[in-house]
Amino acid sequence: MGRRMFSDKVVETDKFLDMPVSTQNLYFHLCMHADDDGFLGNPKTITRSIGGQQDDLTHLIEKGYVIVFEDGTVAITDWFVHNYIPKDRYHKTVYQDNKKKLELSETKQYRLVTRSPIVQDTESKQDVYNMDTDCIQDVNKVYTEDKLSKDNNINKLSSSEPNSDPEPEKQKSQKIPYEKIVDYLNRKTNSHYRPTSKATRRLIKARYNEGFTDMDFKTVIDKKCAEWLQDGTMVQYLRPETLFGTKFEAYLNQPDTGSIPRRNYGSKPVRKATDWEELQRKQEAKNQNMSPEERQAQDEWVQQVFREFGSGGSYAK
């Protein structure tokens, strides 16, 4: 293994610098330990040796910085963007079988070799290309689905659930705005949930696969915040596992309660304030129909009440 170089076209981008520092650190170490073709067979060992977490390796796979194979081997996607090795110093990788599954793009990036179309949309007659299944690696129960485009090569992380229906083709090609949804929830509830959380992403993706949109997520968040935000008992349920779970559709279609008062009264009805002027007008109308005896009896009763409890003001006779 010779000297390794790094291109600022890769490591100085916002996409790279937005990743956690531990993930960036792991990327540099993987590049330093890779062979002259950008392959290495012990990414998990390197992750543990530098005190990294499995999420760091998964994050690199998700962002498309490394390509992972079934046997645990990984390849650095931008290896030839970083490095140019003279032929007299070059040594072929021992992972030739995996290398045959890759090709070099016009931008000198590794990408998986495309295969013949195996699924066809009968409505639109558009071909959908799937990658060779040998290139799908199990990373702690998280599977990667590699999708290629002419402009860039991004490996998108997708969860594989047994006995589940295939995702609609529109959902496969749609980018799910995890950050946008979680950021909106955090701003509404003053929380700090992470859009990179596996549990949160799984819930959001499940709802997207059912056909819901980011506006549906916003609506559910708004409705439940209006209902629970000032409720000391229910505010704890303003969290992804509750809002984005199996009751998502019910929350979406519940009547809009609108804004609620600052103080929470629970299920007790809020008592309407007494209109004293209206009450006085009714009493005056009633007094006009009283006989002199009835009016005198009422006056005596009022005076007795005032003597016992005190008068807070005048009372119309």
Side-chain angles (χ1 to χ4, degrees):
M1 181 177 67
R3 182 176 60 182
R4 301 304 183 215
M5 296 177 288
F6 298 91
S7 172
D8 57 3
K9 295 179 181 179
V10 178
V11 299
E12 292 294 331
T13 61
D14 288 342
K15 175 185 173 182
F16 185 86
L17 296 175
D18 282 344
M19 294 191 300
V21 175
S22 59
T23 305
Q24 299 177 37
N25 182 43
L26 175 60
Y27 180 77
F28 288 122
H29 278 274
L30 293 177
C31 289
M32 291 300 298
H33 286 81
D35 61 26
D36 288 349
D37 284 313
F39 286 77
L40 67 161
N42 60 340
K44 293 184 180 180
T45 300
I46 295 174
T47 301
R48 290 192 295 267
S49 68
I50 66 172
Q53 301 294 327
Q54 183 62 41
D55 285 347
D56 294 322
L57 180 58
T58 303
H59 207 52
L60 291 175
I61 297 170
E62 179 185 4
K63 292 294 185 180
Y65 286 105
V66 298
I67 299 172
V68 65
F69 296 88
E70 188 176 19
D71 59 2
T73 305
V74 298
I76 308 300
T77 304
D78 298 296
W79 180 254
F80 290 105
V81 178
H82 292 308
N83 297 280
Y84 169 75
I85 302 175
K87 291 184 178 180
D88 59 338
R89 298 182 181 179
Y90 167 72
H91 299 280
K92 290 184 179 180
T93 181
V94 298
Y95 306 104
Q96 289 297 314
D97 290 340
N98 288 333
K99 187 177 179 182
K100 292 177 182 179
K101 299 171 185 176
L102 301 178
E103 63 183 1
L104 205 59
S105 70
E106 297 82 356
T107 56
K108 296 184 178 181
Q109 293 177 305
Y110 275 135
R111 65 185 180 189
L112 291 168
V113 179
T114 57
R115 296 290 186 259
S116 300
I118 61 175
V119 179
Q120 189 174 40
D121 186 344
T122 57
E123 295 182 359
S124 61
K125 304 300 181 182
Q126 295 179 347
D127 293 333
V128 180
Y129 290 83
N130 287 353
M131 299 300 102
D132 188 347
T133 55
D134 290 339
C135 298
I136 298 179
Q137 166 66 19
D138 181 352
V139 183
N140 283 358
K141 304 299 181 182
V142 179
Y143 294 81
T144 57
E145 178 185 81
D146 298 297
K147 298 181 180 181
L148 304 181
S149 65
K150 293 182 180 180
D151 298 328
N152 54 27
N153 175 28
I154 301 177
N155 300 322
K156 295 188 176 180
L157 191 65
S158 64
S159 61
S160 177
E161 300 179 359
N163 301 324
S164 60
D165 296 332
E167 297 178 7
E169 297 304 322
K170 292 182 180 179
Q171 294 295 333
K172 285 186 177 181
S173 61
Q174 185 178 20
K175 183 177 180 181
I176 302 177
Y178 298 106
E179 292 81 3
K180 178 180 177 182
I181 294 171
V182 177
D183 179 66
Y184 187 76
L185 174 62
N186 286 337
R187 286 189 285 110
K188 291 286 289 187
T189 62
N190 194 27
S191 302
H192 300 87
Y193 294 107
R194 296 183 302 169
T196 56
S197 169
K198 292 180 182 179
T200 299
R201 294 174 77 92
R202 184 171 63 251
L203 289 169
I204 294 176
K205 184 175 182 180
R207 303 291 80 78
Y208 255 80
N209 291 344
E210 293 172 357
F212 295 105
T213 67
D214 55 339
M215 288 303 299
D216 294 330
F217 282 87
K218 179 179 181 298
T219 300
V220 169
I221 293 171
D222 287 342
K223 285 185 176 183
K224 303 315 290 183
C225 282
E227 183 179 356
W228 292 346
L229 194 58
Q230 303 300 329
D231 190 322
T233 302
M234 301 301 295
V235 68
Q236 61 180 315
Y237 297 109
L238 291 172
R239 57 192 183 188
E241 54 263 45
T242 301
L243 299 178
F244 308 152
T246 56
K247 294 183 179 180
F248 183 86
E249 186 174 9
Y251 293 153
L252 178 64
N253 290 283
Q254 74 175 44
D256 190 354
T257 58
S259 59
I260 62 176
R262 189 66 184 171
R263 181 180 177 185
N264 176 55
Y265 291 91
S267 59
K268 296 180 180 179
V270 179
R271 185 174 158 185
K272 185 178 179 181
T274 303
D275 187 343
W276 294 105
E277 293 183 359
E278 178 66 20
L279 183 61
Q280 184 174 352
R281 285 194 295 270
K282 290 181 179 181
Q283 186 61 41
E284 290 175 349
K286 182 179 180 181
N287 290 343
Q288 292 177 358
N289 298 324
M290 285 184 178
S291 64
E293 293 79 8
E294 291 175 336
R295 186 173 300 179
Q296 182 179 358
Q298 177 179 277
D299 291 344
E300 292 176 353
W301 175 81
V302 170
Q303 291 176 7
Q304 181 181 355
V305 171
F306 281 6
R307 284 194 300 269
E308 292 181 2
F309 299 101
S311 174
S314 59
Y315 185 87
K317 296 182 180 179

